[in-house]
Amino acid sequence: MNPISVTTLNTQIKSLLETTFMQVLVEGEISNLVNHSSGHIYFSIKDDSSTISCVMFKGNTKYLKFQLENGLKVLITANITVFVPRGNYQLLCTKIEPSGIGSLALAYEQLKTKLQAKGYFEQSIKKALPKYPKKIAIVTSATGAAIEDMKKVASARWNLVELILIPTLVQGAGSIEDIVKNIKIADSLNCDIMIVGRGGGSIEDLWSFNSELVANAIYEAKTPIISAVGHEIDYLISDFVADLRAATPSNAIEIALPDTNEHLLYIDSLVNDLKSKLKNTLQRKEQELINLKSLFKQNSIESKLTFFDAQIKLLEDSFKRTLTSRLDIFSNILDNLKQSFLMNNPEKKDKIGFVQLSKDNKIVSLDDLKIDDNIELQTAKTKAIAKIISLSEQKV
């Protein structure tokens, strides 16, 4: 057997391997991951017993929808190649998918975890929406159904707002860059609110709103942003970063604008409350006025004069009653004196059988006399001196 060179051997091995294993599907765990500055990705894929080197060149990396990570279990579509100068063989990867989960779903979770760690989702940094916006910038497609739905809702709900449409490519190649550019334009218009979104579609159609570039643009905007992408069941990265999420574009307008009918009802209730309060206030003030008028009347000069007049009348009546009573008393006394005088009138002392009995020049009663008292018996014409010889009590 003739010997061959190492190069020849490696070349033959390369030819044999590359023609035998033109395409393989290998499952394993990523390790030794290196993202080279050239854009190529170098790593190893391993299982419990073996390891094989892998490379994915820059031309194929642009199709990756997620980030490779050490420890991540993947499915690799590749062919085997040999690096002749070293005699090393490796997998030349053309496609990499996560094992057991879709690449888009993994990319979504990876970006969500990354942005959450950076604080993009914090509620404390969310901007409040103004209650009565005057201008709303809408970053969406000019030809989609979403903008027409939003116009109808705005017209029915609050027609005092100005809607500024910024036509935007919302899916496909170049859509991410267009969305980012137009968010920045909308942010420069000094609008009260910005709505970023589109109508429904597949996850691939909506994928531009799961971009880190779009998330950065929303996070950096000064204008309050409502994310309104797809339908109610769709949750995009833009929903988490925005200041508020709407289930649909129409719902975004409902959130952003007040309801005219609700405000009319509210105004009616305010008018009714005002009327009721005004009526109650007037009634209360009227009652206060009546009370003041009554109080004034009670304290007026006329009232005081009337009071004093009544007091004078009372005093007058009391004086009259007292005077009458006193006069009656004195009249009775006078009558008694008159009667006594008449009874003791000297002119009537000559009445047969009646004399005035006195002792020591004092009129006395027969009951007051004692035996041997010297007494005087006197009529109008005659005076007699007598002495009490005996006294006896008369039986009644």
Side-chain angles (χ1 to χ4, degrees):
M1 179 182 295
N2 293 323
I4 58 175
S5 66
V6 175
T7 300
T8 300
L9 178 60
N10 283 340
T11 300
Q12 290 178 357
I13 292 173
K14 174 181 173 67
S15 177
L16 179 63
L17 288 177
E18 290 183 355
T19 55
T20 304
F21 300 97
M22 293 183 62
Q23 188 177 65
V24 293
L25 181 63
V26 182
E27 184 178 38
E29 183 180 303
I30 294 175
S31 64
N32 303 317
L33 177 66
V34 175
N35 289 293
H36 199 272
S37 58
S38 63
H40 307 323
I41 301 175
Y42 299 95
F43 61 96
S44 299
I45 186 169
K46 65 178 183 177
D47 57 21
D48 293 338
S49 304
S50 302
T51 300
I52 186 171
S53 296
C54 303
V55 61
M56 189 175 211
F57 293 126
K58 181 178 180 180
N60 289 320
T61 59
K62 63 183 179 181
Y63 299 112
L64 273 176
K65 298 186 181 300
F66 63 99
Q67 294 181 352
L68 300 183
E69 298 175 356
N70 284 322
L72 185 65
K73 194 172 183 181
V74 293
L75 289 172
I76 296 175
T77 301
N79 58 327
I80 297 178
T81 184
V82 176
F83 186 54
V84 174
R86 294 183 183 175
N88 295 334
Y89 75 93
Q90 59 187 358
L91 294 180
L92 184 59
C93 306
T94 57
K95 182 180 179 182
I96 303 176
E97 292 285 343
S99 178
I101 184 173
S103 59
L104 293 181
L106 179 59
Y108 173 87
E109 291 300 330
Q110 286 178 334
L111 181 56
K112 184 179 175 183
T113 301
K114 178 182 178 180
L115 296 181
Q116 188 169 23
K118 291 174 69 174
Y120 276 34
F121 306 159
E122 291 294 330
Q123 286 298 319
S124 59
I125 64 172
K126 304 296 184 184
K127 296 178 283 295
L129 303 182
K131 193 170 184 179
Y132 300 101
K134 295 179 180 178
K135 289 197 302 182
I136 296 179
I138 301 177
V139 178
T140 191
S141 172
T143 58
I147 185 61
E148 296 303 323
D149 292 341
M150 286 191 278
K151 286 179 181 178
K152 289 178 183 177
V153 174
S155 177
R157 193 171 179 85
W158 192 260
N159 56 14
L160 299 178
V161 69
E162 177 186 358
L163 301 181
I164 301 175
L165 172 64
I166 303 176
T168 305
L169 187 64
V170 293
Q171 71 181 67
S175 60
I176 293 175
E177 292 77 10
D178 202 39
I179 293 169
V180 171
K181 178 193 71 174
N182 288 341
I183 287 175
K184 293 179 179 178
I185 291 173
D187 197 38
S188 68
L189 297 179
N190 294 321
C191 291
D192 300 298
I193 297 173
M194 185 193 315
I195 296 176
V196 178
R198 55 155 293 159
S202 65
I203 186 64
E204 289 80 7
D205 292 338
L206 307 179
W207 194 253
S208 297
F209 295 91
N210 281 328
S211 162
E212 185 171 1
L213 293 175
V214 172
N216 290 335
I218 293 173
Y219 180 77
E220 293 167 2
K222 301 296 185 293
T223 308
I225 294 179
I226 301 175
S227 175
V229 183
H231 300 296
E232 188 171 356
I233 59 172
D234 300 315
Y235 277 82
L236 287 300
I237 294 296
S238 62
D239 294 334
F240 295 103
V241 183
D243 298 295
L244 202 64
R245 174 190 180 264
T248 63
S250 297
N251 180 236
I253 290 291
E254 291 174 349
I255 293 171
L257 296 178
D259 188 348
T260 301
N261 293 327
E262 287 182 2
H263 277 67
L264 289 175
L265 290 173
Y266 178 63
I267 290 171
D268 286 343
S269 69
L270 288 179
V271 170
N272 291 335
D273 288 345
L274 179 61
K275 287 181 178 178
S276 177
K277 289 180 180 178
L278 183 60
K279 182 179 178 181
N280 292 336
T281 300
L282 289 175
Q283 288 178 344
R284 188 173 65 254
K285 294 300 181 183
E286 182 180 15
Q287 188 59 47
E288 288 178 4
L289 187 60
I290 291 171
N291 294 338
L292 287 172
K293 185 177 178 181
S294 175
L295 186 62
F296 176 77
K297 187 175 180 180
Q298 290 175 10
N299 293 277
S300 66
I301 295 176
E302 182 182 7
S303 177
K304 288 184 180 295
L305 289 174
T306 302
F307 174 76
F308 290 139
D309 186 58
Q311 292 295 106
I312 291 170
K313 280 187 131 187
L314 289 173
L315 289 172
E316 183 180 356
D317 291 343
S318 177
F319 176 76
K320 286 180 178 180
R321 286 195 301 271
T322 302
L323 182 60
T324 301
S325 176
R326 300 284 291 180
L327 288 174
D328 288 343
I329 291 171
F330 288 127
S331 178
N332 290 334
I333 293 173
L334 188 60
D335 287 343
N336 291 334
L337 289 173
K338 183 179 179 181
Q339 187 67 32
S340 177
F341 173 76
L342 291 174
M343 290 177 62
N344 293 284
N345 192 340
E347 294 180 353
K348 296 187 176 182
K349 288 184 179 180
D350 57 353
K351 189 175 181 181
I352 296 173
F354 288 90
V355 295
Q356 179 176 291
L357 177 65
S358 61
K359 176 184 174 183
D360 300 329
N361 296 322
K362 293 181 181 180
I363 297 173
V364 296
S365 172
L366 183 61
D367 296 332
D368 297 330
L369 297 179
K370 302 176 188 175
I371 296 175
D372 295 329
D373 281 344
N374 294 316
I375 61 171
E376 293 179 358
L377 301 174
Q378 185 178 357
T379 64
K381 298 178 179 181
T382 306
K383 180 178 178 181
I385 302 298
K387 186 176 181 177
I388 301 300
I389 297 175
S390 65
L391 290 172
S392 63
E393 293 183 0
Q394 295 288 338
K395 291 185 180 180
V396 180

